[in-house]
Structure formats: structure tokens, C-alpha cells
Amino acid sequence: MCTDSALGAPDFHAPSAHASATHPRAQPTPRPRTEFAPGVRTNSTSGAPSTSSPGPQTDVTPGMHLESVAGVYDFTVRRGIVLATGSRPRTLPGLAPDGRRVVTSDDALFAPGLPASGLVLGGGAIGVEYASFHRSMGAEVTLVEAADRIVPLEDAEVSRHLTRGLKKRGIDVQTGARLLDAEVLESGVRARVRTARGETRTVAAERLLVAVGRAPVTEGLGLQAAGLTTDERGFVVPADWKRLETAVPGMHVVGDLLPPPSLGLAHASFAEGLLVAETLAGLAPAPVDYAAVPRVTYSSPQTAAVGLSETEARARGREVEVSTMPLTAVAKGMVHGQGGMVKVVAEAGGQVLGVHLVGPHVSEMIAESQLIVGWDAEPADVARHVHAHPTLSEAVGEVFLTLAGRGLHQQ
């Protein structure tokens, strides 16, 4: 995909990409459309008619370009190439999706009807969301995850509370398990699963959903011919993360093509696209702060988190203080009756490192914590602010009160 600065808007004497967004710019002097004959372009310096051929520009080489609007004026644009080809679902050897009985997360959006039973392979966010949705639609669901817990990239306590909530809804959650084989039948799928206890179970389901991650789409793009390479996982690694620019000047990459610390989440990709657009427009945007980007699992119950987990913080040598509180400790949590909790990880005597939520509607509660982590706030900074009653966010406020030594219902 090629892009012009400001989607083709005039950018007179545009500053370099490293210049401040407040860099003074010369203002255009528009010329009336009737000044010259139709199809004759003006010269940007003298205003005289240009003798070059009119029509759209076809040069897509990155860099500064002179563009013309027939009968109006010439102007300068900064053009770049943005790689944003997304990702595709990963599959398992010997288990080819057919779009009907064996489906990927993409296929499941268009598969005919809803199954009465489902086997979901993969307990990451996508697998959990599909398992939760199908259970809400009345299906009997088995969720199989090879790791020792579901959503393994999140805090361990988040995983425990989520597992408890899914099981309470009747979902059979099998962690530390793996698929041995599967047979596709006319009526569905019959699979053998090795459980964490070493037992072999046979699971029959009308549909098997493979949710074992996604892979970047780079085939057929001609990356090598353009001077680009990918890492061993197929990601395009930027040479400059602050601008998301590759080793080829003027060529940028966003979204699922990026390796970690990019998160492969829609809202993170939006931010990456905005960063590149503003860079090409001659502004100097701040780089994406991936540590402050929220992560949400849209299941029932939901999970939402931002920043470091307790394990990650300790692995980085941080001395941490941790406080948790069940959502049922506040009135609104009791009304919902779905369990859940708030967990805050803070540096001992210092800033908040991570906030982790499980429960109903927590996706709507994470924005506050995003600001707390992103602005390096300390628990005492947050404890000064009063949370509305009755709300689930009262539990968030209570946890920060506790960390600040002012706990009301817990110490």
C-alpha cells in the first residue's frame, strides 16, 4: 500500500520527518482554476503554465515528490510505502481446515450454522473467545491448551480466575493437554486428546476450531527484490522502531507483520498506522509505547491487562508489591455475581508496573489503568481519586488505597 502525506493534502515546503510538528510552513497561494486552459498545470515557482503532461502521478518511489493539481497549483508531498498485509491463521500438520468440520478462526466467521458441540484447540485469546461465544450460543464446548494454563501470556492469577469462570459456565477446560489425532466424519470430528494426567480421552464434536495463533502474510510480496528480509518467524523487523521504518528508506511496516514487542492487536495496529502517517506528513510523533497498550480477551468473563505481570516484573529484577481484590467485594460485583478480581503490581515504593483485571465488563475499565501505567503513576497518586459508587471500578480504587497504606476493607 502506498500513501501520500495527509492523503494527498497540500504540504508546502514540508519539513523533514525529524522536524517538530510545530515547524513553520509556508502558506499556499491558490490560483483560480480559470487562469490557464484546462489540463495545463501551473509552475510552483513562477506560476507559469507547465508543459508536462497532466494526469495522475504514477511514480511510487518513496521520498519527496512534486505533485500538481490541474489549474490550481503544484505542491510537495512526502510519499512512502507501507506494508500492512496482515496475518493468516496457523494450522496444525495433518489437520487441514475444510471450512465446515475443521475450521480456523477466519473460517468460523462464515461457517454454516452454529454447532451443537465444539472442540477448540488453543487456549489463547482467540480460542477462549470462540469457546466462550459458542457456549453462549448453547454449544457443549471442550477447550484444549498445551500450556499449563489458558491465556498463558497473561498473569497467572488472571488465568486461574478465567479458568474458574469458564468452567462455571460449563466449558470443559483441559490445560497441559495435546491433540493426538483427529478423524473427520460426516457428522463431525472425533479426536483423541492426551490430558495433563496422561490419560487418553476421546472427544466428539460437530466442529473443531483450530486456534493456535496467526502468522504474518509475506508470501508473494517481493520483499527480497525490494531489499527486505524476514526473521525466522516471517516477521519484517523495522530498522527504526520509532518510525517503524525498514532498512529500505521510505518503506514502513505496521500491524501483524511486526514482531514483538508489537502486539498483533487491532488497536495497536491503528496506533502504528497513525505513527507512520504522521511521520510521512513531516511530523515527529511519539513512538508506540507497547508497554502501555491494553490487552483484552472478549470472553465471559473478560480479561483486561496493561503493563507487566507479577512474574515478568520479578524476572526483570524488580522488587514488587502486589495487591489483589475480588470484584465481589464491592456492591456492583455482588450484583453481577460473576466473580473476577483486580490485581496491581507495583515497584516497592515506586511506580505501578501492571494492572490485571478479570470479570464482567473489565474491557471498559482498563483505560484508567492504561493512563496509570503509561504515566508512571504511583499508588498514592491514584489513591487520591474517588471512584464512583456503585461501580466495578471501586475495586480498582480500593486496591490502590491498599498499596498506598490507606486500605478500607483490606490491609
Side-chain angles (χ1 to χ4, degrees), residues 71-378:
V72 186
Y73 45 69
D74 290 348
F75 57 93
T76 302
V77 297
R78 178 178 285 99
R79 176 175 290 155
I81 296 176
V82 182
L83 303 177
T85 52
S87 63
R88 66 174 187 278
R90 296 184 186 273
T91 57
L92 295 174
L95 193 61
D98 60 14
R100 180 169 173 263
R101 295 303 182 189
V102 179
V103 299
T104 66
S105 56
D106 286 359
D107 299 329
L109 298 174
F110 307 100
L114 289 169
S117 57
L119 170 60
V120 179
L121 298 180
I126 294 175
V128 167
E129 288 170 353
Y130 272 94
S132 178
F133 167 76
H134 282 88
R135 183 57 186 156
S136 296
M137 296 296 102
E140 296 295 325
V141 179
T142 300
L143 176 62
V144 175
E145 167 58 41
D148 60 358
R149 57 188 179 94
I150 58 174
V151 288
L153 298 181
E154 299 300 338
D155 190 270
E157 287 194 62
V158 168
S159 297
R160 285 196 292 272
H161 279 264
L162 178 59
T163 299
R164 186 182 306 161
L166 295 179
K167 287 184 175 180
K168 187 176 180 180
R169 295 182 57 209
I171 297 175
D172 181 11
V173 180
Q174 296 290 327
T175 56
R178 64 186 181 91
L179 178 72
L180 296 178
D181 53 48
E183 180 182 5
V184 179
L185 309 173
E186 180 58 32
S187 59
V189 176
R190 183 167 56 228
R192 291 193 310 143
V193 175
R194 178 66 55 83
T195 69
R197 296 182 178 180
E199 303 168 345
T200 299
R201 285 185 51 188
T202 299
V203 179
E206 287 189 7
R207 187 171 294 164
L208 187 157
L209 171 68
V210 181
V212 292
R214 300 184 68 86
V217 174
T218 55
E219 297 85 355
L221 298 183
L223 296 181
Q224 289 187 341
L228 296 176
T229 59
T230 60
D231 66 10
E232 66 278 3
R233 296 166 294 177
F235 294 111
V236 178
V237 183
D240 183 354
W241 277 93
K242 293 181 180 179
R243 294 159 50 89
L244 297 179
E245 189 170 21
T246 68
V248 178
M251 195 171 292
H252 301 257
V253 58
V254 300
D256 291 348
L257 291 185
L258 286 168
S262 180
L263 300 171
L265 301 173
H267 46 284
S269 299
F270 294 161
E272 291 161 355
L274 181 60
L275 183 153
V276 170
E278 291 181 339
T279 296
L280 294 176
L283 306 180
V288 178
D289 182 4
Y290 293 107
V293 174
R295 310 177 300 273
V296 178
T297 304
Y298 296 94
S299 53
S300 180
Q302 296 180 349
T303 77
V306 62
L308 299 178
S309 68
E310 180 180 354
T311 299
E312 289 172 332
R314 295 188 187 281
R316 297 187 183 189
R318 302 290 190 94
E319 182 181 349
V320 300
E321 296 177 343
V322 177
S323 182
T324 63
M325 187 174 199
L327 289 182
T328 51
V330 299
K332 195 66 174 286
M334 294 175 66
V335 171
H336 281 289
Q338 297 180 31
M341 66 104 192
V342 177
K343 178 176 182 177
V344 174
V345 180
E347 195 163 30
Q351 70 188 65
V352 178
L353 300 176
V355 180
H356 309 273
L357 312 174
V358 186
H361 309 299
V362 295
S363 61
E364 305 295 341
M365 296 166 57
I366 197 62
E368 173 189 22
S369 299
Q370 179 183 5
L371 297 179
I372 293 168
V373 172
W375 288 344
D376 299 332
E378 297 184 6

Side-chain angles (χ1 to χ4, degrees), residues 32-100:
R33 293 180 181 275
T34 56
E35 182 175 350
F36 299 108
V40 178
R41 296 185 296 161
T42 63
N43 182 280
S44 60
T45 55
S46 66
S50 170
T51 57
S52 58
S53 300
Q57 301 293 315
T58 58
D59 181 10
V60 295
T61 306
M64 301 300 293
H65 292 263
L66 184 68
E67 298 286 351
S68 298
V69 177
V72 186
Y73 45 69
D74 290 348
F75 57 93
T76 302
V77 297
R78 178 178 285 99
R79 176 175 290 155
I81 296 176
V82 182
L83 303 177
T85 52
S87 63
R88 66 174 187 278
R90 296 184 186 273
T91 57
L92 295 174
L95 193 61
D98 60 14
R100 180 169 173 263

